[in-house]
Amino acid sequence: MSSQPLVLGIETSCDETAVGIVRGRTLLANVISSSVEEHARFGGVVPEIASRAHLEAMPFVIKQALREAKVALRDIDAIGVTAGPGLIGALLVGTSAAEGLALALDKPIYGVNHLSAHLAVDALDESRSLQPAIGLLVSGGHSSIIEVTDLAKGVSVLGATIDDAAGEAFDKIARLLELDFPGGPAIDRLAKSGDPEAIDFPRGLQSSDYNFSFSGLKTAVSRYLKQVPSAVKADVAASFQEAVVDVLLTKAIRACTEKGIDSLLIAGGVAANSRLRAEAQRRCHLAKIELRTPPAALCTDNGAMVAALTSLAVSGGVSPSTIGFSTLSTVPLDQPTWS
Ligand code: KG4
Ligand code: ZN
């Protein structure tokens, strides 16, 4: 294997069938096929539909990624695949494909943690050296503040949501506002024409720890919509979004200051939110903190992040997984890969 491993990463934890290829920290290909439209009429991801769609899309997505990267399958040094958390049936399609490839190519395989992979995508920005950071991981299932030192070996979780995740809150409020699924991007779009100060929604759990709570905010929005039938939806969306952004950034920046770490890495699907990105830029600048946010397309689920974490694991001398490793619907954040 050359000093820069050529890694193929497969992601199928939810509704995206995604394959990324990296060489070391260089992104060569990132191909995504989404079954989101097949789930839209149900207002949420239907696990069996997602699994079937993965099975159909997988061969084409792998071939397309190899074409984009201009590499041959036989040149791949290691295979990475999301082993959890996620929908078990969906994960099994990805892990089966990955294990088949690893066996056929006789190459190592790494079952990786989807959550660590969200953070690891930051490694693909080669202009930066990998250094300690406070991670704000905000996805459909998680909202956590993390101390990141070595992603391939583990992270320490400083705090997490005690109820809904940030993305879940976006999705639930979007449903109340009768917006399209998935709700996060729909609220992001609608909020652009609304007034973020129109409604003073509660900020929830302003405690001195690093935990979050979004259920009170959800109840407040629901109550407001019942009490004010003439509510301007764009104002509700913008004010709700502002409350989420405020809470997330207040605690994340406090974690940087209290831990003496001057770098904030924001990752996960909600990190694609335009208001979160803009406000993070403003607050980090004021606090003299370096802000690291992957491009929006690499914040939502993709295969490049799985390849990136696998590449860090290979370079860091982490032992590969053994064929037949478990897929897990829930996994602690501090376990980046497992055997
Ligand atoms: O990381 P991700 O793609 O999948 C999980 O691992 O969960 O995150 C999905 C979540 C969904 O809740 C989606 O509504 C939210 O990220 N999301 C957004 C935006 N784009 C995706 N939330 C707010 N603004 C966005 N632009
Ligand atoms: Zn994700």
Side-chain angles (χ1 to χ4, degrees):
M1 195 184 299
S2 75
S3 58
Q4 296 286 304
L6 183 65
V7 178
L8 182 143
I10 297 179
E11 154 63 34
T12 61
S13 67
C14 194
D15 58 336
E16 273 93 14
T17 315
V19 173
I21 299 179
V22 305
R23 188 183 295 280
R25 292 177 54 193
T26 309
L27 178 61
L28 302 182
N30 185 34
V31 178
I32 302 174
S33 164
S34 173
S35 58
V36 66
E37 280 170 14
E38 293 177 56
H39 307 285
R41 70 191 171 102
F42 301 104
V45 174
V46 182
E48 191 165 327
I49 294 178
S51 305
R52 285 176 188 276
H54 288 314
L55 204 51
E56 273 172 32
M58 186 61 74
F60 303 101
V61 176
I62 292 176
K63 279 187 194 156
Q64 180 63 22
L66 290 165
R67 256 196 307 271
E68 256 181 37
K70 297 188 176 63
V71 297
L73 198 50
R74 64 177 174 278
D75 298 330
I76 299 291
D77 295 311
I79 309 281
V81 62
T82 299
L87 304 169
I88 288 296
L91 290 168
L92 284 170
V93 178
T95 51
S96 303
E99 290 188 337
L101 285 176
L103 280 170
L105 296 169
D106 193 21
K107 295 294 177 187
I109 183 167
Y110 289 78
V112 310
N113 187 330
H114 179 86
L115 304 168
S116 315
H118 267 303
L119 295 164
V121 83
D122 175 58
L124 299 178
D125 183 343
E126 297 163 89
S127 66
R128 276 198 277 258
S129 60
L130 294 172
Q131 63 187 67
I134 290 296
L136 172 63
L137 175 68
V138 274
S139 69
H142 286 76
S143 307
S144 309
I145 294 189
I146 298 146
E147 192 169 342
V148 180
T149 39
D150 184 344
L151 273 170
K153 307 239 162 92
V155 295
S156 2
V157 180
L158 303 178
T161 183
I162 58 168
D163 41 51
D164 290 354
E168 208 175 341
F170 269 95
D171 294 336
K172 286 180 177 169
I173 297 304
R175 220 169 292 152
L176 289 179
L177 291 172
E178 296 166 337
L179 302 179
D180 291 343
F181 170 81
I187 289 193
D188 195 347
R189 278 192 301 275
L190 181 62
K192 287 191 203 313
S193 56
D195 175 3
E197 290 174 7
I199 311 146
D200 188 17
F201 285 130
R203 264 39 181 175
L205 213 67
Q206 286 169 308
S207 46
S208 60
D209 58 18
Y210 300 122
N211 293 328
F212 299 112
S213 167
F214 294 109
S215 68
L217 172 59
K218 189 186 65 190
T219 309
V221 176
S222 164
R223 198 176 306 134
Y224 181 85
L225 287 171
K226 282 191 192 117
Q227 284 168 355
V228 188
S230 59
V232 178
K233 282 188 183 179
D235 287 349
V236 176
S239 302
F240 157 77
Q241 179 174 267
E242 202 63 15
V244 176
V245 166
D246 186 18
V247 166
L248 291 175
L249 291 178
T250 300
K251 290 209 171 180
I253 290 183
R254 185 157 56 69
C256 290
T257 316
E258 288 175 358
K259 295 284 170 189
I261 294 176
D262 62 358
S263 193
L264 174 64
L265 163 57
I266 309 184
V270 181
N273 183 267
S274 61
R275 179 67 190 136
L276 178 63
R277 296 170 80 88
E279 185 61 6
Q281 197 82 51
R282 192 185 70 80
R283 292 195 196 188
C284 284
H285 178 73
L286 285 177
K288 298 194 170 43
I289 291 169
E290 177 204 28
L291 175 65
R292 293 149 65 167
T293 37
L298 291 180
C299 288
T300 43
D301 291 349
N302 63 82
M305 66 192 213
V306 176
L309 178 58
T310 306
S311 180
L312 291 178
V314 172
S315 309
V318 174
S319 302
S321 307
T322 37
I323 293 286
F325 58 84
S326 327
T327 48
L328 301 169
S329 56
T330 56
V331 189
L333 239 168
D334 51 11
Q335 197 183 345
T337 59
W338 57 91
S339 53

